[in-house]
């Protein structure tokens, strides 16, 4: 598809074109937003296959429900909401099953950030392995709030729109999630780095912030609307 065709077309206009029958408009929306949707799904679920399936489910849902979009929020907020809901559905189902420990090195490597390789610094690898394992111990709702605010960098107000909950609920879920994560991650900060949170840091409880994301781009993991490679 010629991306230049839609260069000046807004997301909302693309969605309208899709509803009107344009065969390429929704694909352009996917191209614009799939990397961030993928990042949210991977960090929420901690599993590449589950994340890819969740994004695929979300994009299929968005494709079919595009006619219901009323423009009350940004298209990207709408897409993220559908993706988070797909992730929460999968997380709740997974929580009802007994999960086995992550014992194999190959399996642990898959939980690193998509853009990182085995050559990344050892401290970074350990942090991401432990962080993603720790995130999976949180209730899905707390996990989703932390991923959006602390790892994806969304303002609390925007995360609240995505999750369709009050801003105060987002803050409380993040605070509870950080408090539960801190004991599991403190050993990764021997110099107490986690306890020096600036007093003015956004939406942070002192000493409990989650390391921010670096903006992954995994084009091989999500193709043509979030399917597995």
């Amino acid at each position: 598809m010629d991306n230049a065709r839609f260069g000046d077309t807004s997301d909302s206009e693309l969605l309208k074109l899709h509803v009107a029958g344009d065969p390429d408009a929704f694909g352009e929306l996917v191209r614009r937003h799939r990397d961030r949707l993928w990042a949210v799904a991977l960090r929420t679920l901690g599993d590449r296959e589950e994340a890819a399936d969740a994004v695929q489910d979300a994009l299929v849902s968005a494709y079919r429900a595009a006619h219901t979009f009323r423009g009350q929020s940004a298209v990207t907020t709408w897409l993220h909401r559908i993706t988070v809901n797909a992730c929460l559905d999968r997380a709740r189902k997974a929580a009802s099953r007994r999960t086995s420990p992550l014992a194999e090195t190959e399996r642990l490597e898959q939980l690193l950030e998509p853009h990182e390789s085995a050559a990344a610094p050892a401290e970074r690898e350990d942090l991401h392995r432990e962080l993603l394992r720790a995130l999976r111990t949180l209730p899905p709702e707390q996990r989703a709030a932390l991923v959006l605010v602390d790892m994806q960098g969304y303002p609390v107000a925007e995360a609240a729109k995505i999750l369709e909950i009050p801003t105060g609920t987002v803050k409380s879920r993040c605070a509870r999630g950080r408090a539960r994560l801190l004991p599991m991650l403190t050993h990764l900060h021997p110099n107490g780095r986690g306890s020096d949170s600036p007093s003015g840091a956004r939406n942070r409880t002192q000493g409990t912030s989650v390391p921010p994301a670096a903006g992954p781009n995994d084009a091989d993991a999500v193709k043509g609307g979030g399917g597995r490679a």
Side-chain angles (χ1 to χ4, degrees):
M1 183 181 68
D2 184 4
N3 294 331
R5 175 190 168 198
F6 297 116
D8 297 326
T9 307
S10 68
D11 288 348
S12 59
E13 290 171 337
L14 282 173
L15 208 57
K16 290 177 182 177
L17 287 172
H18 163 64
V19 173
D22 189 299
D24 298 324
F26 194 81
E28 173 64 9
L29 274 176
V30 171
R31 187 192 68 79
R32 290 180 183 182
H33 300 289
R34 65 181 174 188
D35 287 343
R36 295 204 76 179
L37 298 179
W38 162 250
V40 167
L42 179 61
R43 294 183 176 95
T44 301
L45 294 169
D47 180 282
R48 295 172 68 86
E49 184 171 337
E50 284 286 302
D53 283 346
V55 173
Q56 182 173 15
D57 291 346
L59 291 176
V60 169
S61 295
Y63 183 94
R64 293 173 175 170
H67 66 283
T68 68
F69 181 74
R70 295 292 178 260
Q72 296 175 338
S73 62
V75 172
T76 183
T77 299
W78 179 72
L79 289 173
H80 275 74
R81 181 183 304 143
I82 294 173
T83 301
V84 168
N85 286 338
C87 290
L88 292 179
D89 286 344
R90 287 182 172 272
R92 293 185 187 106
K93 291 177 183 177
S96 68
R97 302 190 297 266
R98 188 178 186 84
T99 56
S100 59
L102 299 174
E104 300 179 7
T105 301
E106 181 179 357
R107 172 64 174 158
L108 292 174
E109 290 295 334
Q110 291 179 352
L111 297 184
L112 292 173
E113 296 303 322
H115 69 289
E116 289 189 297
S117 67
E123 298 86 1
R124 186 71 172 173
E125 291 185 11
D126 288 344
L127 176 60
H128 282 286
R129 291 174 182 175
E130 293 294 332
L131 174 59
L132 288 172
R133 280 195 287 183
L135 277 171
R136 295 186 73 178
T137 70
L138 298 180
E141 291 77 11
Q142 289 180 17
R143 194 187 317 166
L146 273 177
V147 166
L148 289 173
V149 175
D150 279 6
M151 301 185 75
Q152 291 301 113
Y154 281 99
V156 166
E158 184 67 13
K161 290 180 182 178
I162 292 171
L163 297 172
E164 297 184 290
I165 57 177
T167 57
T169 303
V170 174
K171 292 178 181 179
S172 63
R173 287 181 181 178
C174 286
R176 290 196 299 269
R178 292 174 193 135
R180 293 183 62 170
L181 286 179
L182 183 60
M184 295 182 246
L185 301 176
T186 300
H187 65 286
L188 295 176
H189 304 283
N191 296 324
R193 180 161 58 92
S195 62
D196 295 328
S197 177
S199 59
R202 187 195 70 204
N203 309 321
R204 300 291 193 267
T205 299
Q206 185 173 7
T208 58
S209 62
V210 176
N217 184 345
D218 195 339
D220 291 332
V222 183
K223 293 183 177 179
R228 284 195 294 272

